[in-house]
Amino acid sequence: MDEPRYDEVTKTYTTGHSYDGIEELNTPLPRWWLWTLYLTIVWAVIYTIAYPAWPLVSSATSGFLGYSTRGEVAAEIARVEEANFELNTQLAAVDLTTLQENAPLQQYAVSAGASVFANNCSQCHGSGAAGSVGYPNLLDDDWLWGGDIEAIATTVRHGIRNEQDEDARYSEMPAYGELLEDGEIPALVAYVKSLSGLDHDAALVEQGAELFMDNCTACHGENGMGDRDQGAPNLTDSVWLYGSSDEALTETITYSRFGVMPPWSPRLSDAQVNAVAAYVHQLGGGE
């Protein structure tokens, strides 16, 4: 390393570094840049003291200002709840069969119900409520437990086949793989498909019809149109929760299905339950 020298051309001292004859000028940083750097350091120190900043084992430093984004959100929620208190009180106590007679309350219920649905129901039924395999489509008119607004509210409030709510909708299909002999399940599949006019093995329909009468009519009815009191699906309308292929129906008959919906009453208020029932009811499939 050479001794720094004064460069007459640039009027600046060199650093003393030389690389293959190329020298490095010791050009100082602009004063404005240095003061900006110092100010950002001071600002960072003040910010970490004043606001929540440093993560700890199970929490974080709170800051002497006591600011909290959670607290800010909670305050905003409280403000909105206070503003809607009267409407929510009315909605919680309303007779759902007469809700449409109160246009402002109906409009509020549908709007609020859309938010409730997006936050709690769309994960299973989809953002558009069209459902998927194993999760009912709420846009059509095929309802296992009834599609009027009161039936929908009951389903939302208590759920289906769960162990948390004594009033949950409940039905259970036997696993016929343990009850039927080899070759009988394909015959039953063929007959069930014939009820909805789907392609099927016509040679097996007669045997399947006998099996259906002996094993399935108690729930699905002799005509296969189901029973809403038991949550038994209508097998004649070409609406299939788990699919209508031979493979899907074989699995359903062999092992049965046991879909579970949680009860929402512990997490949703009466007003929210009624709101989401109103929203789902007006989507197009409500009866």
Side-chain angles (χ1 to χ4, degrees), residues 91 94-103 105-106 109 149 274 278:
L91 186 56
V94 72
D95 179 352
L96 288 174
T97 60
T98 65
L99 178 60
Q100 292 185 341
E101 298 173 9
N102 186 336
L105 187 61
Q106 163 78 2
I149 192 169
N274 288 345

Side-chain angles (χ1 to χ4, degrees), residues 12-62:
T12 305
Y13 282 95
T14 66
T15 63
H17 298 157
S18 178
Y19 304 94
D20 292 332
I22 301 174
E23 294 181 300
E24 179 183 3
L25 295 175
N26 187 14
T27 305
L29 294 169
R31 289 286 182 177
W32 66 266
W33 192 96
L34 285 173
W35 281 111
T36 301
L37 174 63
Y38 298 149
L39 286 173
T40 57
I41 294 173
V42 172
W43 168 256
V45 172
I46 294 174
Y47 188 94
T48 57
I49 295 174
Y51 290 92
W54 296 102
L56 304 176
V57 175
S58 59
S59 60
T61 56
S62 59

Side-chain angles (χ1 to χ4, degrees), residues 19-152:
Y19 304 94
D20 292 332
I22 301 174
E23 294 181 300
E24 179 183 3
L25 295 175
N26 187 14
T27 305
L29 294 169
R31 289 286 182 177
W32 66 266
W33 192 96
L34 285 173
W35 281 111
T36 301
L37 174 63
Y38 298 149
L39 286 173
T40 57
I41 294 173
V42 172
W43 168 256
V45 172
I46 294 174
Y47 188 94
T48 57
I49 295 174
Y51 290 92
W54 296 102
L56 304 176
V57 175
S58 59
S59 60
T61 56
S62 59
F64 71 81
L65 293 181
Y67 173 78
S68 167
T69 53
R70 290 180 179 270
E72 192 174 66
V73 172
E76 179 64 13
I77 291 174
R79 184 189 68 79
V80 173
E81 288 181 346
E82 182 179 358
N84 294 328
F85 177 78
E86 183 60 32
L87 284 170
N88 285 327
T89 300
Q90 294 180 39
L91 186 56
V94 72
D95 179 352
L96 288 174
T97 60
T98 65
L99 178 60
Q100 292 185 341
E101 298 173 9
N102 186 336
L105 187 61
Q106 163 78 2
Q107 183 178 3
Y108 171 74
V110 172
S111 177
S115 296
V116 174
F117 186 92
N119 290 332
N120 300 279
C121 313
S122 60
Q123 293 83 352
C124 293
H125 294 284
S127 59
S132 60
V133 176
Y135 300 99
N137 180 353
L138 305 179
L139 305 177
D140 60 24
D141 58 359
D142 190 77
W143 298 86
L144 290 178
W145 302 94
D148 62 76
I149 192 169
E150 289 184 308
I152 294 172

Side-chain angles (χ1 to χ4, degrees), residues 107-211:
Q107 183 178 3
Y108 171 74
V110 172
S111 177
S115 296
V116 174
F117 186 92
N119 290 332
N120 300 279
C121 313
S122 60
Q123 293 83 352
C124 293
H125 294 284
S127 59
S132 60
V133 176
Y135 300 99
N137 180 353
L138 305 179
L139 305 177
D140 60 24
D141 58 359
D142 190 77
W143 298 86
L144 290 178
W145 302 94
D148 62 76
I149 192 169
E150 289 184 308
I152 294 172
T154 298
T155 299
V156 172
R157 183 171 283 108
H158 301 295
I160 296 172
R161 302 186 193 92
N162 62 72
E163 298 180 355
Q164 293 77 43
D165 194 312
E166 295 181 353
D167 295 319
R169 310 279 203 183
Y170 199 93
S171 65
E172 185 171 357
M173 175 180 171
Y176 281 100
E178 303 172 359
L179 304 173
L180 299 179
E181 298 178 0
D182 292 342
E184 291 184 327
I185 289 180
L188 195 51
V189 168
Y191 178 71
V192 169
K193 294 186 73 172
S194 74
L195 292 175
S196 283
L198 301 175
D199 291 337
H200 59 278
D201 188 340
L204 297 176
V205 169
E206 184 176 349
Q207 179 189 3
E210 294 180 5
L211 291 167

Side-chain angles (χ1 to χ4, degrees), residues 116 120 156-157 162 164 261-270 272-273:
V116 174
N120 300 279
V156 172
R157 183 171 283 108
N162 62 72
Q164 293 77 43
M261 174 179 169
W264 288 99
S265 55
R267 283 169 279 187
L268 301 179
S269 66
D270 287 340
Q272 289 175 314
V273 169

